[in-house]
Amino acid sequence: MSVIDINVVEDHERFRAELASIQPDGRRRWIFARKPQGKFTNWRIFVGVLLIAFLAAAPFVKVRGHQFLLFNIIDREFVFFGVPFWPNDFYLVAVLFLTGIVSIVLLTASIGRIWCGWLCPQTVFMEMIFRRIEWGIHGGPAEQARRKAGPWNSDRVWRTVVAIAIFFAISFMIANVFLAYVVSSDRLVQYMQDGPLPHLELFIGLVFFTFVFFMVFYRFREQACLIACPYGRYMSALVDENTIAVTYDHIRGEKRVKWDREDVTAQKSAHAIGGNTVRADGKGSCIDCHQCVTVCPTGIDIRNGIQLECVNCTACIDACNSVMSKVGLPSGLIRYTSLRSVVNKDRGSFMTNRIKAYGIVWLLLVTVVTVLFANRQDLDIVILRQEGTTWVMSTDGYMNIYRIQMINKSGSQIHYTLDVVSPKGYTIKPLGIPNTIESMQILKGRFMVKRSSVASGSSQEPLVISVSYGDDQQLLSTAFLAP
């Protein structure tokens, strides 16, 4: 029998034909998740707090005068970790983006959808902020379900109004934070000081996205993961029997039978006397308590096996471990492991040939990105001959006119000098261009190269022009035309 054949208990095959949050008649089945508690939940809270703090602070942190992260698509200004990128740096952005995609692919194929459950902004905001506010206003899942099924009395109305107001206010703050990533934090602060009327179009867009965020967190919720998000669709295809993911140990857990108090007492006594790690009656360790289902934010039963809706949030692991501790059974009935490890009853390894191939590609991309960034210059320079001109003759030699464009990508002013390195007998005369470039500015201008009458040369002489600034120097090649 293959691994896939024994993945699911026959009594629970129906989950393959329907979503946990959709009723058989197509109506929405609302998920009222219970608050999880345990080791993994504590770690998720810690990671979630760090991520929210990072997301809120990153647009307001400056590195060498640059915003830490900026994605100004409108003006084509991009800053990653304090390093500015210009349109001519698009190849760097493309390689960096490709490296990120391969990183997520490698991570998902190795340890499952860790992004969905631990790092995704939608999950972090939902579980760390909005759901906790909901628990505080509406109570636990039983109270929420009872109110939703009951009449619209005064108690339900005031709780709903308060929840909507708070949800919308937080959504507005989140929209402003995301706007700071697009227009820059400095400009956002200026817009706030000016008020909405001078920037009405931008304010309307802000309100629109506030409403989108509000609907996602107040109504759409887990449907965003199941229906709208493409990540869960195409990344789930990378998960196989060797992937480390939140997995139910069906070998140990089946056949599940509910317990009563006498069963719990007998099991604890047997465990205390003989150190038993299995049920005293010889049946499966799963006591069919459904605690793993009640804490799941997408409403699935992890005992049915790895499913599309599972975001690997680990809430079911903490819930099951708590129950196992109470009934005197070892933890780990639901744990981070691979399906093959469960079947073969060993630790297994996710380092398959596929993962090794992904890893090699990832290392190559990381190497390329590192080399490109190491060789990236603070000053981007382009020198071209002025179009439509050849040469100009003067009393003491011949002259050519050139155009120069320089982009200062650093966070400070740059002073530069132009010289002809080779051949000898050539001099440069700037045509009204300054010898300094301000930070994050583009300098465009013209200069003239003069060849003295005593200098020897052909009708098309290769030139090497030096641009020196600080301790750096760039050499650029062009040509000088003469009769």
Side-chain angles (χ1 to χ4, degrees):
M1 182 177 289
S2 68
V3 171
I4 301 301
D5 290 335
I6 59 176
N7 184 24
V8 182
V9 181
E10 292 79 357
D11 294 339
H12 300 271
E13 286 287 347
R14 196 174 63 180
F15 84 96
R16 298 184 183 277
E18 59 186 46
L19 292 175
S21 59
I22 304 296
Q23 299 184 30
D25 60 1
R27 290 181 299 155
R28 173 86 171 270
R29 178 184 287 123
W30 284 92
I31 306 298
F32 301 105
R34 184 171 58 84
K35 185 177 181 180
Q37 292 180 334
K39 177 180 67 175
F40 285 101
T41 299
N42 293 336
W43 275 110
R44 285 185 67 217
I45 293 173
F46 176 75
V47 172
V49 170
L50 288 182
L51 289 175
I52 292 172
F54 174 83
L55 182 69
F60 302 94
V61 173
K62 298 295 181 67
V63 178
R64 295 192 302 173
H66 303 303
Q67 186 168 307
F68 189 69
L69 288 173
L70 177 66
F71 309 96
N72 191 342
I73 302 174
I74 301 172
D75 296 330
R76 295 181 298 174
E77 296 179 11
F78 302 93
V79 181
F80 296 96
F81 310 112
V83 179
F85 291 84
W86 292 74
N88 57 345
D89 290 325
F90 180 76
Y91 69 98
L92 279 174
V93 178
V95 175
L96 193 63
F97 178 77
L98 183 60
T99 304
I101 293 296
V102 174
S103 300
I104 294 177
V105 168
L106 176 61
L107 199 67
T108 304
S110 304
I111 56 176
R113 292 169 60 181
I114 199 76
W115 166 268
C116 294
W118 291 70
L119 306 175
C120 174
Q122 198 272 345
T123 302
V124 171
F125 281 126
M126 187 70 235
E127 300 302 322
M128 298 298 119
I129 298 179
F130 291 98
R131 202 181 294 279
R132 294 177 183 278
I133 292 173
E134 192 172 61
W135 286 329
I137 296 174
H138 291 290
E143 294 177 76
Q144 293 179 38
R146 184 171 60 252
R147 286 196 181 94
K148 187 170 183 62
W152 279 95
N153 53 28
S154 59
D155 180 71
R156 182 179 178 184
V157 168
W158 81 260
R159 291 177 187 273
T160 302
V161 169
V162 170
I164 289 175
I166 295 176
F167 275 42
F168 197 87
I170 296 177
S171 298
F172 183 73
M173 288 189 289
I174 293 173
N176 274 277
V177 170
F178 278 102
L179 183 61
Y181 281 96
V182 178
V183 302
S184 84
S185 57
D186 293 338
R187 194 176 299 177
L188 176 63
V189 172
Q190 183 61 50
Y191 289 167
M192 289 180 176
Q193 294 174 351
D194 296 341
L197 291 180
H199 315 283
L200 191 57
E201 291 184 1
L202 187 65
F203 183 73
I204 292 174
L206 180 66
V207 173
F208 171 77
F209 280 102
T210 298
F211 181 73
V212 170
F213 290 145
F214 168 76
M215 291 304 295
V216 167
F217 296 118
Y218 187 74
R219 296 287 298 182
F220 208 38
R221 302 193 167 200
E222 76 282 347
Q223 301 300 303
C225 303
L226 307 181
I227 300 174
C229 180
Y231 177 87
R233 295 288 179 175
Y234 65 79
M235 285 299 170
S236 292
L238 296 170
V239 177
D240 61 14
E241 62 269 19
N242 296 298
T243 302
I244 306 297
V246 175
T247 306
Y248 167 65
D249 188 342
H250 57 277
I251 302 296
R252 172 189 158 190
E254 303 301 327
K255 186 175 182 178
R256 66 188 78 153
V257 177
K258 288 186 178 295
W259 282 19
D260 54 26
R261 288 185 179 274
E262 293 180 358
D263 294 323
V264 175
T265 302
Q267 178 60 38
K268 286 186 174 181
S269 300
H271 178 68
I273 296 173
N276 292 340
T277 59
V278 296
R279 282 178 61 160
D281 55 12
K283 295 180 181 178
S285 294
C286 178
I287 65 173
D288 206 20
C289 62
H290 281 268
Q291 295 301 299
C292 58
V293 180
T294 60
V295 297
C296 180
T298 59
I300 67 168
D301 189 340
I302 191 62
R303 297 173 299 176
N304 290 331
I306 298 175
Q307 301 158 59
L308 172 66
E309 302 99 307
C310 179
V311 296
N312 277 225
C313 68
T314 68
C316 56
I317 296 181
D318 283 335
C320 186
N321 285 345
S322 176
V323 172
M324 291 294 102
S325 175
K326 291 177 180 178
V327 300
L329 289 172
S331 61
L333 181 60
I334 302 175
R335 62 186 184 274
Y336 263 124
T337 187
S338 68
L339 188 56
R340 186 173 296 278
S341 296
V342 169
V343 174
N344 295 334
K345 298 181 180 180
D346 58 19
R347 297 189 62 179
S349 174
F350 62 84
M351 288 299 294
T352 61
N353 291 333
R354 182 175 68 123
I355 300 301
K356 293 176 182 177
Y358 290 158
I360 292 173
V361 174
W362 182 81
L363 287 174
L364 289 175
L365 285 171
V366 170
T367 302
V368 170
V369 168
T370 303
V371 171
L372 290 177
F373 272 87
N375 294 325
R376 185 175 182 266
Q377 300 285 347
D378 285 338
L379 195 61
D380 189 88
I381 309 168
V382 176
I383 294 178
L384 298 171
R385 285 182 46 79
Q386 179 166 289
E387 61 278 5
T389 63
T390 53
W391 49 269
V392 177
M393 186 176 67
S394 66
T395 56
D396 55 349
Y398 296 96
M399 294 178 291
N400 282 193
I401 300 175
Y402 298 85
R403 290 189 179 275
I404 185 170
Q405 174 181 288
M406 292 184 284
I407 303 175
N408 183 357
K409 301 176 182 178
S410 70
S412 59
Q413 185 187 73
I414 290 180
H415 178 85
Y416 71 95
T417 56
L418 292 173
D419 295 293
V420 177
V421 176
S422 67
K424 301 299 182 182
Y426 291 78
T427 58
I428 289 181
K429 179 182 179 182
L431 299 177
I433 57 175
N435 60 357
T436 58
I437 314 172
E438 299 300 326
S439 172
M440 298 299 291
Q441 295 297 315
I442 300 177
L443 175 64
K444 295 181 179 180
R446 298 184 302 165
F447 64 90
M448 185 178 294
V449 176
K450 181 180 178 181
R451 187 176 78 182
S452 65
S453 56
V454 297
S456 61
S458 61
S459 60
Q460 184 168 332
E461 187 74 17
L463 285 184
V464 178
I465 297 177
S466 164
V467 182
S468 301
Y469 52 99
D471 297 328
D472 297 320
Q473 182 187 50
Q474 292 189 45
L475 301 178
L476 297 100
S477 299
T478 183
F480 186 91
L481 301 183

PDB file of all heavy atoms in Angstrom, residues 392-399 425 427 448 450-455 480:
ATOM      1  N   VAL A 392      34.794  69.563 -34.707  1.00  0.00           N
ATOM      2  CA  VAL A 392      34.890  71.013 -34.878  1.00  0.00           C
ATOM      3  C   VAL A 392      36.373  71.378 -34.899  1.00  0.00           C
ATOM      4  O   VAL A 392      37.153  70.893 -34.063  1.00  0.00           O
ATOM      5  CB  VAL A 392      34.185  71.767 -33.727  1.00  0.00           C
ATOM      6  CG1 VAL A 392      34.355  73.280 -33.897  1.00  0.00           C
ATOM      7  CG2 VAL A 392      32.721  71.401 -33.679  1.00  0.00           C
ATOM      8  N   MET A 393      36.771  72.226 -35.843  1.00  0.00           N
ATOM      9  CA  MET A 393      38.168  72.634 -35.944  1.00  0.00           C
ATOM     10  C   MET A 393      38.354  74.013 -35.318  1.00  0.00           C
ATOM     11  O   MET A 393      37.543  74.917 -35.547  1.00  0.00           O
ATOM     12  CB  MET A 393      38.610  72.654 -37.409  1.00  0.00           C
ATOM     13  CG  MET A 393      40.109  72.931 -37.592  1.00  0.00           C
ATOM     14  SD  MET A 393      40.627  72.849 -39.316  1.00  0.00           S
ATOM     15  CE  MET A 393      39.771  74.265 -39.981  1.00  0.00           C
ATOM     16  N   SER A 394      39.409  74.176 -34.541  1.00  0.00           N
ATOM     17  CA  SER A 394      39.766  75.462 -33.959  1.00  0.00           C
ATOM     18  C   SER A 394      41.193  75.808 -34.373  1.00  0.00           C
ATOM     19  O   SER A 394      41.862  75.045 -35.082  1.00  0.00           O
ATOM     20  CB  SER A 394      39.641  75.417 -32.432  1.00  0.00           C
ATOM     21  OG  SER A 394      40.593  74.523 -31.895  1.00  0.00           O
ATOM     22  N   THR A 395      41.661  76.939 -33.900  1.00  0.00           N
ATOM     23  CA  THR A 395      42.997  77.389 -34.295  1.00  0.00           C
ATOM     24  C   THR A 395      44.106  76.497 -33.762  1.00  0.00           C
ATOM     25  O   THR A 395      45.191  76.419 -34.352  1.00  0.00           O
ATOM     26  CB  THR A 395      43.221  78.826 -33.794  1.00  0.00           C
ATOM     27  OG1 THR A 395      43.021  78.866 -32.376  1.00  0.00           O
ATOM     28  CG2 THR A 395      42.268  79.787 -34.490  1.00  0.00           C
ATOM     29  N   ASP A 396      43.824  75.792 -32.652  1.00  0.00           N
ATOM     30  CA  ASP A 396      44.886  74.975 -32.054  1.00  0.00           C
ATOM     31  C   ASP A 396      44.535  73.499 -31.980  1.00  0.00           C
ATOM     32  O   ASP A 396      45.091  72.762 -31.180  1.00  0.00           O
ATOM     33  CB  ASP A 396      45.214  75.499 -30.657  1.00  0.00           C
ATOM     34  CG  ASP A 396      43.984  75.573 -29.764  1.00  0.00           C
ATOM     35  OD1 ASP A 396      42.867  75.425 -30.290  1.00  0.00           O
ATOM     36  OD2 ASP A 396      44.139  75.755 -28.535  1.00  0.00           O
ATOM     37  N   GLY A 397      43.587  73.038 -32.810  1.00  0.00           N
ATOM     38  CA  GLY A 397      43.284  71.610 -32.840  1.00  0.00           C
ATOM     39  C   GLY A 397      41.847  71.316 -33.198  1.00  0.00           C
ATOM     40  O   GLY A 397      41.119  72.172 -33.722  1.00  0.00           O
ATOM     41  N   TYR A 398      41.453  70.048 -32.920  1.00  0.00           N
ATOM     42  CA  TYR A 398      40.103  69.590 -33.221  1.00  0.00           C
ATOM     43  C   TYR A 398      39.353  69.303 -31.915  1.00  0.00           C
ATOM     44  O   TYR A 398      39.949  68.942 -30.892  1.00  0.00           O
ATOM     45  CB  TYR A 398      40.141  68.324 -34.077  1.00  0.00           C
ATOM     46  CG  TYR A 398      40.753  68.543 -35.439  1.00  0.00           C
ATOM     47  CD1 TYR A 398      42.099  68.255 -35.661  1.00  0.00           C
ATOM     48  CD2 TYR A 398      39.987  69.036 -36.487  1.00  0.00           C
ATOM     49  CE1 TYR A 398      42.676  68.459 -36.906  1.00  0.00           C
ATOM     50  CE2 TYR A 398      40.554  69.240 -37.744  1.00  0.00           C
ATOM     51  CZ  TYR A 398      41.900  68.952 -37.948  1.00  0.00           C
ATOM     52  OH  TYR A 398      42.454  69.163 -39.171  1.00  0.00           O
ATOM     53  N   MET A 399      38.015  69.468 -32.004  1.00  0.00           N
ATOM     54  CA  MET A 399      37.179  69.261 -30.810  1.00  0.00           C
ATOM     55  C   MET A 399      35.970  68.393 -31.149  1.00  0.00           C
ATOM     56  O   MET A 399      35.444  68.467 -32.264  1.00  0.00           O
ATOM     57  CB  MET A 399      36.705  70.611 -30.247  1.00  0.00           C
ATOM     58  CG  MET A 399      37.818  71.475 -29.706  1.00  0.00           C
ATOM     59  SD  MET A 399      37.221  73.082 -29.115  1.00  0.00           S
ATOM     60  CE  MET A 399      36.765  73.863 -30.665  1.00  0.00           C
ATOM     61  N   GLY A 425      47.587  64.059 -25.074  1.00  0.00           N
ATOM     62  CA  GLY A 425      47.351  65.201 -25.936  1.00  0.00           C
ATOM     63  C   GLY A 425      45.907  65.624 -26.030  1.00  0.00           C
ATOM     64  O   GLY A 425      45.554  66.460 -26.872  1.00  0.00           O
ATOM     65  N   THR A 427      42.387  67.063 -23.920  1.00  0.00           N
ATOM     66  CA  THR A 427      41.916  67.756 -22.715  1.00  0.00           C
ATOM     67  C   THR A 427      40.399  67.868 -22.753  1.00  0.00           C
ATOM     68  O   THR A 427      39.782  67.812 -23.822  1.00  0.00           O
ATOM     69  CB  THR A 427      42.533  69.164 -22.608  1.00  0.00           C
ATOM     70  OG1 THR A 427      42.197  69.911 -23.788  1.00  0.00           O
ATOM     71  CG2 THR A 427      44.031  69.093 -22.435  1.00  0.00           C
ATOM     72  N   MET A 448      33.353  69.118 -23.796  1.00  0.00           N
ATOM     73  CA  MET A 448      34.092  69.116 -25.054  1.00  0.00           C
ATOM     74  C   MET A 448      35.457  68.482 -24.831  1.00  0.00           C
ATOM     75  O   MET A 448      36.135  68.767 -23.833  1.00  0.00           O
ATOM     76  CB  MET A 448      34.249  70.548 -25.567  1.00  0.00           C
ATOM     77  CG  MET A 448      34.892  70.659 -26.933  1.00  0.00           C
ATOM     78  SD  MET A 448      34.990  72.388 -27.463  1.00  0.00           S
ATOM     79  CE  MET A 448      33.260  72.772 -27.645  1.00  0.00           C
ATOM     80  N   LYS A 450      39.152  68.158 -26.518  1.00  0.00           N
ATOM     81  CA  LYS A 450      39.984  68.865 -27.492  1.00  0.00           C
ATOM     82  C   LYS A 450      41.289  68.116 -27.716  1.00  0.00           C
ATOM     83  O   LYS A 450      41.938  67.675 -26.768  1.00  0.00           O
ATOM     84  CB  LYS A 450      40.267  70.282 -26.983  1.00  0.00           C
ATOM     85  CG  LYS A 450      41.111  71.121 -27.918  1.00  0.00           C
ATOM     86  CD  LYS A 450      41.315  72.504 -27.310  1.00  0.00           C
ATOM     87  CE  LYS A 450      42.195  73.361 -28.195  1.00  0.00           C
ATOM     88  NZ  LYS A 450      42.428  74.710 -27.615  1.00  0.00           N
ATOM     89  N   ARG A 451      41.645  67.961 -28.986  1.00  0.00           N
ATOM     90  CA  ARG A 451      42.922  67.345 -29.336  1.00  0.00           C
ATOM     91  C   ARG A 451      43.828  68.422 -29.888  1.00  0.00           C
ATOM     92  O   ARG A 451      43.478  69.106 -30.863  1.00  0.00           O
ATOM     93  CB  ARG A 451      42.739  66.237 -30.369  1.00  0.00           C
ATOM     94  CG  ARG A 451      44.019  65.454 -30.648  1.00  0.00           C
ATOM     95  CD  ARG A 451      43.788  64.308 -31.599  1.00  0.00           C
ATOM     96  NE  ARG A 451      43.696  64.765 -32.992  1.00  0.00           N
ATOM     97  CZ  ARG A 451      43.451  63.967 -34.035  1.00  0.00           C
ATOM     98  NH1 ARG A 451      43.222  62.676 -33.809  1.00  0.00           N
ATOM     99  NH2 ARG A 451      43.378  64.460 -35.249  1.00  0.00           N
ATOM    100  N   SER A 452      44.975  68.580 -29.293  1.00  0.00           N
ATOM    101  CA  SER A 452      45.891  69.625 -29.738  1.00  0.00           C
ATOM    102  C   SER A 452      46.421  69.310 -31.131  1.00  0.00           C
ATOM    103  O   SER A 452      46.448  68.163 -31.562  1.00  0.00           O
ATOM    104  CB  SER A 452      47.050  69.773 -28.749  1.00  0.00           C
ATOM    105  OG  SER A 452      47.830  68.585 -28.732  1.00  0.00           O
ATOM    106  N   SER A 453      46.849  70.339 -31.835  1.00  0.00           N
ATOM    107  CA  SER A 453      47.300  70.165 -33.216  1.00  0.00           C
ATOM    108  C   SER A 453      48.567  69.347 -33.309  1.00  0.00           C
ATOM    109  O   SER A 453      48.860  68.739 -34.347  1.00  0.00           O
ATOM    110  CB  SER A 453      47.519  71.539 -33.862  1.00  0.00           C
ATOM    111  OG  SER A 453      48.444  72.301 -33.087  1.00  0.00           O
ATOM    112  N   VAL A 454      49.346  69.287 -32.231  1.00  0.00           N
ATOM    113  CA  VAL A 454      50.609  68.530 -32.270  1.00  0.00           C
ATOM    114  C   VAL A 454      50.402  67.051 -31.945  1.00  0.00           C
ATOM    115  O   VAL A 454      51.304  66.241 -32.126  1.00  0.00           O
ATOM    116  CB  VAL A 454      51.634  69.148 -31.294  1.00  0.00           C
ATOM    117  CG1 VAL A 454      51.984  70.568 -31.704  1.00  0.00           C
ATOM    118  CG2 VAL A 454      51.109  69.107 -29.852  1.00  0.00           C
ATOM    119  N   ALA A 455      49.183  66.714 -31.395  1.00  0.00           N
ATOM    120  CA  ALA A 455      48.923  65.324 -31.035  1.00  0.00           C
ATOM    121  C   ALA A 455      48.657  64.510 -32.288  1.00  0.00           C
ATOM    122  O   ALA A 455      47.981  64.950 -33.215  1.00  0.00           O
ATOM    123  CB  ALA A 455      47.732  65.230 -30.098  1.00  0.00           C
ATOM    124  N   PHE A 480      36.957  59.497 -30.615  1.00  0.00           N
ATOM    125  CA  PHE A 480      37.157  60.879 -31.036  1.00  0.00           C
ATOM    126  C   PHE A 480      37.276  60.915 -32.554  1.00  0.00           C
ATOM    127  O   PHE A 480      38.058  60.156 -33.145  1.00  0.00           O
ATOM    128  CB  PHE A 480      38.442  61.439 -30.392  1.00  0.00           C
ATOM    129  CG  PHE A 480      38.660  62.900 -30.655  1.00  0.00           C
ATOM    130  CD1 PHE A 480      38.159  63.839 -29.776  1.00  0.00           C
ATOM    131  CD2 PHE A 480      39.356  63.323 -31.789  1.00  0.00           C
ATOM    132  CE1 PHE A 480      38.369  65.197 -30.013  1.00  0.00           C
ATOM    133  CE2 PHE A 480      39.553  64.667 -32.019  1.00  0.00           C
ATOM    134  CZ  PHE A 480      39.056  65.612 -31.134  1.00  0.00           C
TER     135      PHE A 480
END
